[in-house]
Structure formats: C-alpha cells, structure tokens
Amino acid sequence: MHLTYLQPLWWLLGLLVLAMAWRYSLVDRPKGKMLASLALRALAVIFLVLALCRPGWMREADDLHVVFLVDVSQSVDLKASQEAVTEVEAAVNELKPGDSHSVFAMAKGVRLQAAPDLAKTLESWRTGVPDDRFRSDSRLAEAMLSTRLAFPAGKSRRLVLLSDGQETRGDVTAALETLKREQVQVEWKPLSGPAEPEASVVSVESNTSSAFAGEIVRLKVRMASNQPMGARLRILNQGVSMQEKSVALVPGTGNEAVFDMPMTTPGASLWTAELIPDKDHFPLNNQASATVQVKGKSRVLIIHRAPREMRAAARALEEQEFEVDVRGENGVPDTMEGLMAFDAVMLADVPATAIPMRQMQLLKSYVQDFGGGLAMMGSENSFGLGGYYKTPVEDVLPLVSRFEKEKEKPSLAMVLIIDKSGSMQGAPMALARQAAKASVELLGAQDQVAVIAFDGAPQLVSEMRRASERDAIQAAIDTIQEAGGTDLYSAMEMGKQILDNTTAKIKHMICLTDGQTEDRGFGSLTQALADSGVTVSTVGMGEGAVGDLLQGIAEVGKGRYYQTSDPSNVPQIFTKETIQATKSAIKEDVYQAITVTDHPMLAGYADSDLPASLGYVMTEAKPTTQVVLAVESGDPLLAVGRFGLGQGLCFTADLTEKWGGEWLAWEGCGKFWSQVLRSILKKEDAEGMEVRQSTAQDVWRLDIRRREPDGTPVSGLNWDAQAVDATGRQVPVTVRETGLGKYTAQVPLEGQEKLTLRLRDTDRNKLKVLAWTRPSPAEYRLGREAPAAITALPPFVPAEIRKNLTPVTTRQSLDHWCYGLALLSALGSVVMRRI
C-alpha cells in the first residue's frame, strides 16, 4: 500500500487518549463488550486517519493512448496523406476496448479531427481548393509538443508521426528528447512528396565571399527535381539577366550548373539564380541568391531632376577612378541593400517631395549606422528651398535651412488657406497643421501671415499679424478641426480681402485641399489676385483633389502647383513654398571661395586656385560643423560634419552650368571634387575580423573571430551591432563573447525578408557590413532530407500498434474503502455499547 500523505499519522496518538478513557471508565458493562467497543472505536480512528493519508496500491496497466499526427503540408502529396489516414484507421481497429486515440492534421498548426472527417477533408482538397495557408508550413516540433497534452493519465503513451519528416520551423531533435523524458514512444511513417512535376534551386555558392572589380567569380548552382525535365537557368544581378543556359534535370539533388561571372559593380553585389522549368508546381522555390563583396572603384550615386545637367560633373569624377550613377529625382534606392551598393549619395537638385519619408529615414540610417556619406549641392530644390526643413536628411547635413532674412529684402504678407472638410480627418489634418506651423516658423519677424480654414464656409483662424507673434499664430492653427464640405472659392475671396488691406511688397497665397470644389469663377478671382500683385500656389492632396482646376489657379496666379498622394509630403511643400516666397534664400552674383578651415580635402589648393561660384543658397552651420569654404559675407559654401558613423557634406553652390560653370571649366575640377568626396566615402576596415554565417530556427547566427595582425586572439572587446530591414526599421542584435577571441551575434529573422547588418569593434574601430536575404520558403524546397533524429525512429506498423508497449504503473485509490470501514467500525462500536 502507498500513502500519499504521512502527516495525518500523527492523529494516531489519539488512540492513547482513547485507551486512558477506557482504563478509567466508570461504565458498568461487561468487560468483553467494553473491549470490543474500544477495539471498534480504535479501528474507526485508524481507518479515518488512513483515509486522510490518501492510501492506494500500485499496479501495472496495459491500456494505451495513441496520438496520430498526419502531415498535410504542401511538401507531402495529398494522396500520400489519404493513404496515411487509411493506415491510422487500420491501427485504431487493433486497439483494445480500454485504449483510446486522437488524430491530428498537422501543417502550420494542428487540427483535431476524427479519421473519417480528415479523410473527407483531404479528398475535398485533392479534388477542389486546398487550404494552402494552413499547408504552407511543416511545424513538426511544435505539433509534437502541443499534442502531447492529449495523453490521459494512467495509460501508455505512443505518438505516431506520419510525415516526410521535413521541419520548416522548430527543433525536432529537442522535441523528441522532451517526449522521451516524458516516456512517450514515437514511431514514424515516411510520406512521399508531391507527385506533380517539381523543380527548385537548392543553393547558390560562390568560390569566394569577396572579389576585386573585374575579377571572375564562379557561381555554382545546385538544383533538385522529382522527375526528368528540361529547364532554363539564368543569373540575375540587380534584376537584369546576365547569363542564361539550358539544363536537363534528373530526379534528385545532383543537378549542378556553373557560371563564371565578372564582378563589375563594387560593393555588396547580390547574384540570384532563377530556374524556369518546363513543368513546375511551386514557383516559390525557383530562386536562390548569394552575395559577393566586390572591391574596386568608389561608387557615387547622384540624384538630379534633370540627370543630363550632371553629365559634365560625372565625367570629371569618372576620370578620377570613380564609378558614377546619375539618376532622376525618383532614383533614391528604397532598400538599405540598394543604398549599401554606394559609398556616397549626392542630392544635387531634387525636392524633398520627390523622396518619401521612408527613404529619407533610410538615408539617415545609411549615414548614421553604416558609415555612408551624404552630400547636398545647392539649387532651388535644396535645403529649405527644397522642403528639407526638419526632415531626416537635414538631420544628417552639416548646414541647416534656418537663415536670417536680409533686412533690405521686401516684407512678405502670406495667407495660408487650409481645407478642413471631413475627408481631412486624422493624419491629413494633423500634417496640414504641422505644415502651416512650419511655414510660420520660417518667416522673418517683419513678415505677416494669416490663416484661413474652410469647409462649407471659410473660417478666419488667425488674422493677418506679424510672424514675430508666431506662438499665438501656431496656437490658433492647433485649433483647426475637420468637419463639413469643401468651398475653396469663399476662402480665397476672404484671403484676397485680407491681402488687399496689407501694404507688403510681396503677397503670396497657398491653398491646400484634398477634394472637389465647385468652380464659381476661380479664373476671374485668381486673375484679380494676380493683378493686385498676389501670387497663388496650390496643393492637391490625394486622388480626389480637382487637379486641373488647382493647376489652372496656380498658372493664372503665377505660382506653383503640387500634387501629392502622400500626406507626409505636405510639410515639405509648405516650407518650400514659404522660403521661395520670401525671396531671400538664394543669392546670385560672382562669389569667390575663401578658406575657413584647414581641412585635408583642401590639401594642395589655395584660395586663388579655386574658381568662383555664380550663386548659392543661404544656410547656417550647425554647432559641430566644419565650414571649409565660405563666401566674403561669411555664408558657408562648403561644409562637412560627422553624423554617427558617417559624414554629411554640403556645397551651397552647384556643379551645373547654372552656378558652377566656372568650376566645370576649371581643369582641376575632377581632381578637387574627387578629393572632397573621398573624405566622406563609406569606409569599411574588417582586417582581423573573420565572420562565419549560418541560419537555423529563424535566427541568423554569426560566429566572429577577432585577431591581431600577428594572429593573437583579441578578447574583451566592446561591440556595436545594428541591423535594419528593407524599410529601415531596426532589428535587435545581441553579441556575446564565447571564448578566447570568439564572439557570437544572433539576429531574429521572424517576419524578415532582407536585412543589412553592421558589426563594429568600437575598441579597434573595425567595421564589417553583411547582408542577408531570405531564401525560398523551406516548405517548397526539394532535396531536403529528414533529420537523423526522425529517421532513427522505429517504423509504424498498424498491425503492431500495441507491440513493445512501455508498461505504465497506475495507482488505485483506497480512500473510499478506508472511509467505509471507518464508518462501519464506528457503527459497530455504538452497537456493542447498546446490546
């Protein structure tokens, strides 16, 4: 007998009290009956105490519970899954009456179903539309661990895995170890893969991880197929097919092809193998990639609204061993991987409205976190004029758009007309308020501004007042709330009346709307504004804005028309308009460069050597900026400043014929500007840093070894690790020391498609940048083998489902017997005292 609790046994000491009571009892009864009554009372106490101890006896049981896991994922043929269900039913028929079972369909999760119901589901999938979302993963480890909760107590445990054994997420070996500790017997029935014709790219391997520009790198492509078929295989770089060849695939994973590719693009060069089979079921597994770090000429990306304007500057740099890529205003890469292909980026003449905020954040991270260089040239679309006021790009640059307006410039009176109709609710209204406040902040103290909001009728939010009262004006702007319809005409009429009553020499009106408005004679009203010296610019936000009407108003009003579908562009548009309206950001004349700081980029050049500029944009230097060149008035001309790991550079004139004709005609132009740009190029020094990469369980693991030049391991280093995804969002990275000169970094990959990682040894200032691209989903890859932990499992045979069971010892409770005997003993004691 087994007692669960021993503490109640102390109550048996009460028998001594019972014995003493009997010894000194004055009851005049026959001694035999007294002894019998005492014995029965003692037995009642003993049985009650034993009941409180939860007594039981242990016995071996041969009852069995079986959990059947049937793999229904995409990597398994549905017909094979159906046959597996038939085997499950055969095994169930071999169970004894005391046995039990559970059947689960397994893929991205688990679903509890009776075997007949699962058979019907599989048949409907095979003949109709399958649940591809559920079938897109094979989470074997998760399924085995979660379904073990179905095992009842007191029965032997057996789990039957009917699967191809190919796990896509999780640790099967660890899961099997857990089941073993919990005395769960596991058997395996291998299922066949898809019967449909299928081919895939298994891997792309390069014979080196780094190469020099022009070097030939051999790319070996491994492919798999489940039947003989023909295919075309091509190698892509930057989305362009570089080579293509025909291949004859045979069943299995032994298909290989080799490409010898010249490395032409410096930086992280991504090479993708794409397979185009004659017959294919899953197109998702037809690509794989490899990255080669190419060392060669420095690469500079130049962005300009009219790329042809930068041809002369690009040629001058190319003569100095630069590789230059000149693109239009929409040419800023939209991924960190795209930016990392360049050592520096130059924004020559591109407005902020052409660069989405997400790409501005990428540019900022490119400089701050990865050591890239960002340069801005002067133009009407640069600095504050281009709408960069308080943007991530301005954060990087050493010069800012906050300038003092020249006293001799005429004062400005401006009216801001803002749509506050119901369609502006949420972010559009908030951004419109932000844009209006930014405009007020940029005005000079002598300038004047009024704010009108309109829905079905105009509302004067802030009367015409000096911009020096900006706090009161901005507070009034914050009161604008969206509601009602759209009547721009009445608002423009009110704005005209306000401007007619001002004496400012420059008058400007900005109108913002996101909807349709009735044309009640906008042409004549705008012409009247123009005749009175008022310029009118319009901003159409969203697809619903009446673009033709707004564009016509801007043309008649001699202003500018902006159309944007992204509300986040509105603040940049307003600041650009405000600075242009003040007519004080640009100075045009002949300006000679004067050296302010002895910087290495000027080595070998005196002031007399440098050409003059024909114009520049007025800016101010940040506190930590090095102003290298200035004009006679002291305004910055060339400045540089560190931002994070990289540097920003500004040249407030330009390198086109407009302001930089003298620079382009100068014979030293290429040499000078190559020297300037080389001072801000992205620099990567990874000498003594060896990194090995691997991925498992959706974690990117990097094993790092750090050595001195003489081979001595370096321990105790401080690391600065940073990873960003394709959108610029930061991903957490942990680096820990694992041995002498050995470190490990781990990056979580769940939900990621592309990552760029920076590893920086801050003690020795060593830097390495790595890239990761998610391969095709594991569920759709051919040529994978089941883990050894699964192939080593005993085979599943339906007729032998009860064979070689591990006996289970069960506990049979005796509580009720003890309570019953205690009751009978107590009753017997009473009876003995009554007879």
Side-chain angles (χ1 to χ4, degrees), residues 104-151:
F104 293 90
M106 170 189 66
K108 194 171 185 177
V110 291
R111 294 176 179 176
L112 177 63
Q113 288 185 278
D117 295 337
L118 179 55
K120 292 178 182 178
T121 299
L122 292 173
E123 180 61 24
S124 68
W125 285 356
R126 197 171 69 84
T127 58
V129 179
D131 187 349
D132 288 339
R133 184 179 180 84
F134 178 68
R135 300 182 66 215
S136 64
D137 246 340
S138 296
R139 302 186 179 182
L140 306 188
E142 180 182 306
M144 288 190 288
L145 293 176
S146 61
T147 56
R148 78 190 197 277
L149 301 176
F151 289 116

Side-chain angles (χ1 to χ4, degrees), residues 5-18:
Y5 305 110
L6 298 179
Q7 291 88 342
L9 292 176
W10 288 101
W11 289 100
L12 293 177
L13 295 175
L15 294 175
L16 297 176
V17 178
L18 188 63

Side-chain angles (χ1 to χ4, degrees), residues 200-257:
S200 72
V201 177
V202 177
S203 66
V204 179
E205 300 171 356
S206 62
N207 65 332
T208 179
S209 60
S210 62
F212 289 95
E215 183 178 347
I216 302 298
V217 172
R218 174 159 292 185
L219 301 176
K220 181 189 290 185
V221 183
R222 293 181 56 235
M223 298 158 287
S225 176
N226 64 354
Q227 57 183 260
M229 67 176 74
R232 289 181 295 122
L233 179 65
R234 59 185 184 181
I235 297 293
L236 309 176
N237 181 242
Q238 297 183 351
V240 178
S241 177
M242 308 301 290
Q243 280 192 30
E244 181 176 317
K245 60 176 63 175
S246 297
V247 292
L249 303 177
V250 297
T253 60
N255 301 282
E256 291 185 357

Side-chain angles (χ1 to χ4, degrees), residues 293 691 693 700 702 755-759 768-772:
Q293 291 288 340
V691 181
Q693 308 175 54
W700 182 16
L702 301 106
L755 286 178
T756 303
L757 171 69
R758 177 203 73 219
L759 283 173
K768 192 172 187 67
V769 176
L770 301 164
W772 173 86

Side-chain angles (χ1 to χ4, degrees), residues 347-407:
L347 303 178
D349 184 3
V350 55
T353 53
I355 307 176
M357 188 58 65
R358 184 176 67 82
Q359 285 168 258
M360 286 198 194
Q361 292 287 1
L362 280 176
L363 283 169
K364 180 177 179 179
S365 180
Y366 164 73
V367 179
Q368 183 177 29
D369 300 323
F370 294 92
L374 179 65
M376 179 171 282
M377 301 287 109
S379 73
E380 293 183 354
N381 290 298
S382 301
F383 306 105
L385 277 173
Y388 289 98
Y389 178 63
K390 288 189 175 180
T391 64
V393 168
E394 188 185 62
D395 292 342
V396 174
L397 298 177
L399 302 180
V400 296
S401 308
R402 303 173 186 85
F403 53 88
E404 291 295 331
K405 185 178 172 184
E406 293 181 280
K407 294 179 180 179

